[in-house]
Amino acid sequence: MFTWIEWLADQLIFGLLGLAPDTHLGAALHFFVYDTVKILLLLFLITFVMGIVNAYFPVERLRSFLQRNRLFGLEHLLASIFGAVTPFCSCSSVPLFIGFVRGGIPIGVTFAFLITSPLVNEVALALFLGMFGLETTLIYAGSGILLGAVGGWVLGRLGVERYLSDWVQKMAEQPALAGDFEENGQTFRQRLPGITQEALSIVRGVLLYVLVGIGIGAAMHGYVPEDFFEQYLGGGQWWTVPLAVILAVPMYANAAGIVPVIQVFVAKGIPLGTAIAFMMGTIGLSLPEATLLKKVMTMKLILIFFGVVTTFIILSGLLFNLIL
Amino acid sequence: MKTIKILGTGCPKCKQTEAVVRKAVADLGTDADIQKVEDIQDIMQYNILSTPAVVIDEVVQIKGRVPKAAELEALLKA
């Protein structure tokens, strides 16, 4: 599928610019062109497919479905899967959270959505697919969705409702609002232009991050010696996983910027599980998100929420290092 | 005169939406009271799940995306 991009990069770098493939600069530039084109293409395809899914299954529909049906625990998994396919926007997480609580959705189910939504998103998936291949991407997506479902379930069992902000608790006590989901009756053909434009605007929005991330990755590829990290961070002592995650949690980076760098880490000797756990900590939890959530949660709940998710990220990192 | 409220907590998409609304109103040359609602408690009165949202005369018309100018003009003419 990607051989034509390889050819394109060959022509451009080795042909047009006349650089030799065995020089640092030639190799780095080739890597940059090839990866950029491939990832932008994948990003468009994935956002486009997610756009189609979303046009037919918007979050309003999930809410009204969850209000009407009891799934005996599977609702956590369903909410988590929805979180993965819904395009993530940090500014929507608070309205969504309150909307679910007000609609009478159990808090654990709401958290399942909230955990997975940033963790598994279209940008992360496109970059993983481009840089690590299908198998790693499926492992990442699958474990992210599972992590959201289990994390949400645990938070629900902890009975964290009492740590919501007062005004949110009052809202939750009011009679549940009916889900007002209605089909908008447009045909697929009518929706297509909107979906395409939305996908293009997401690609445009992260373009700069992709370029910078791949740029840094390309530079590191050419110049960082093989096994550089292995020398310093070792071949997977267990404590490197919690350390990587705890460093990553307060950081916030767009998945587009972080995956290409992580790919270099892995290529230069960092175990994949450690890298995935670091990535999950960076994009799944962050200080800006905590600030947003402060409007609806007490500090105590934010700490419990972050604590539970961090623990599960560390556990999955350790597990990956054992089995991969 | 129509009252247009833009609901959003201040993310980039909300700002884009405000710009589109202001432009649509200016292009149509109509008189409208444009308000930016940023307080989350006020926003949640409208029972929406995603921002930005556009409310015209207390009816939620657009939610969870940046509207197109033509779309808004059609809504404002109605």
Side-chain angles (χ1 to χ4, degrees):
Chain A
M1 182 181 170
F2 298 119
T3 40
W4 65 271
I5 307 176
E6 187 91 57
W7 179 85
L8 190 82
D10 284 347
Q11 296 300 312
L12 192 70
I13 304 301
F14 307 141
L16 207 63
L17 292 179
L19 290 163
D22 51 1
T23 59
H24 274 328
L25 188 65
L29 275 179
H30 186 268
F31 175 80
F32 180 79
V33 170
Y34 175 68
D35 276 358
T36 308
V37 176
K38 184 172 70 175
I39 280 163
L40 290 179
L41 202 71
L42 283 167
L43 188 56
F44 177 76
L45 283 175
I46 291 177
T47 45
F48 185 74
V49 171
M50 282 190 176
I52 293 173
V53 173
N54 251 275
Y56 291 94
F57 298 96
V59 276
E60 283 85 2
R61 193 166 193 172
L62 171 71
R63 181 169 72 164
S64 77
F65 181 82
L66 288 173
Q67 281 174 335
R68 283 180 287 106
N69 302 283
R70 288 284 164 262
L71 300 172
F72 311 106
L74 273 181
E75 62 266 27
H76 295 87
L77 190 63
L78 183 70
S80 186
I81 292 171
F82 250 84
V85 297
T86 308
F88 173 67
C89 169
S90 60
C91 46
S92 264
S93 58
V94 168
L96 197 126
F97 185 83
I98 303 169
F100 271 41
V101 170
R102 241 190 132 178
I105 310 284
I107 191 124
V109 178
T110 308
F111 268 117
F113 185 96
L114 201 66
I115 295 171
T116 316
S117 191
L119 203 56
V120 184
N121 64 62
E122 64 282 3
V123 180
L125 290 183
L127 277 124
F128 254 85
L129 206 53
M131 313 234 61
F132 289 102
L134 185 62
E135 197 187 298
T136 315
T137 310
L138 288 178
I139 292 172
Y140 179 81
S143 59
I145 288 169
L146 211 59
L147 196 151
V150 175
W153 182 78
V154 168
L155 284 164
R157 294 303 298 237
L158 290 174
V160 292
E161 288 90 341
R162 58 184 184 275
Y163 302 125
L164 291 169
S165 302
D166 288 341
W167 71 275
V168 180
Q169 287 196 35
K170 282 201 195 85
M171 247 183 184
E173 283 159 12
Q174 289 168 6
L177 282 175
D180 62 338
F181 173 72
E182 71 262 13
E183 287 283 355
N184 73 359
Q186 280 184 308
T187 62
F188 182 69
R189 214 175 240 281
Q190 285 169 314
R191 287 180 188 208
L192 207 55
I195 295 171
T196 315
Q197 268 178 1
E198 183 63 27
L200 279 174
S201 87
I202 290 179
V203 174
R204 253 201 313 274
V206 296
L207 182 63
L208 188 68
Y209 296 97
V210 173
L211 291 178
V212 170
I214 296 177
I216 295 173
M220 285 170 72
H221 247 293
Y223 295 100
V224 177
E226 275 323 296
D227 298 333
F228 174 79
F229 293 109
E230 195 145 25
Q231 277 184 332
Y232 296 96
L233 280 165
Q237 287 99 326
W238 69 269
W239 51 265
T240 54
V241 177
L243 182 72
V245 175
I246 287 162
L247 283 176
V249 168
M251 282 177 27
Y252 174 71
N254 194 305
I258 200 89
V259 180
V261 178
I262 285 188
Q263 201 261 342
V264 181
F265 279 22
V266 172
K268 308 283 182 187
I270 296 257
L272 189 59
T274 313
I276 288 182
F278 179 79
M279 153 104 184
M280 284 181 161
T282 320
I283 67 168
L285 296 170
S286 66
L287 282 183
E289 196 193 355
T291 327
L292 278 173
L293 291 175
K294 251 198 95 75
K295 290 177 189 158
V296 289
M297 298 175 190
T298 56
M299 203 54 208
K300 191 162 182 182
L301 180 49
I302 294 179
L303 289 176
I304 296 172
F305 171 47
F306 272 46
V308 167
V309 178
T310 305
T311 310
F312 279 112
I313 292 177
I314 292 172
L315 288 178
S316 48
L318 291 171
L319 186 70
F320 285 143
N321 280 350
L322 275 180
I323 58 174
L324 290 179
Chain B
M1 188 173 81
K2 286 187 193 303
T3 304
I4 308 171
K5 289 182 180 169
I6 299 139
L7 315 181
T9 44
C11 57
K13 279 188 182 177
C14 308
K15 290 184 185 118
Q16 281 174 34
T17 304
E18 189 185 359
V20 175
V21 169
R22 290 196 183 278
K23 191 174 178 304
V25 169
D27 285 353
L28 281 177
T30 52
D31 215 8
D33 177 23
I34 303 172
Q35 298 169 18
K36 188 89 196 290
V37 182
E38 294 192 340
D39 185 81
I40 186 71
Q41 295 194 38
D42 294 337
I43 290 175
M44 290 320 292
Q45 300 301 323
Y46 292 95
N47 192 29
I48 52 163
L49 288 181
S50 47
T51 56
V54 178
V55 178
I56 301 175
D57 289 336
E58 297 304 303
V59 180
V60 180
Q61 298 286 8
I62 308 269
K63 51 190 174 185
R65 62 193 172 85
V66 181
K68 279 183 272 307
E71 199 181 356
L72 265 176
E73 285 176 18
L75 283 170
L76 287 172
K77 276 186 207 147

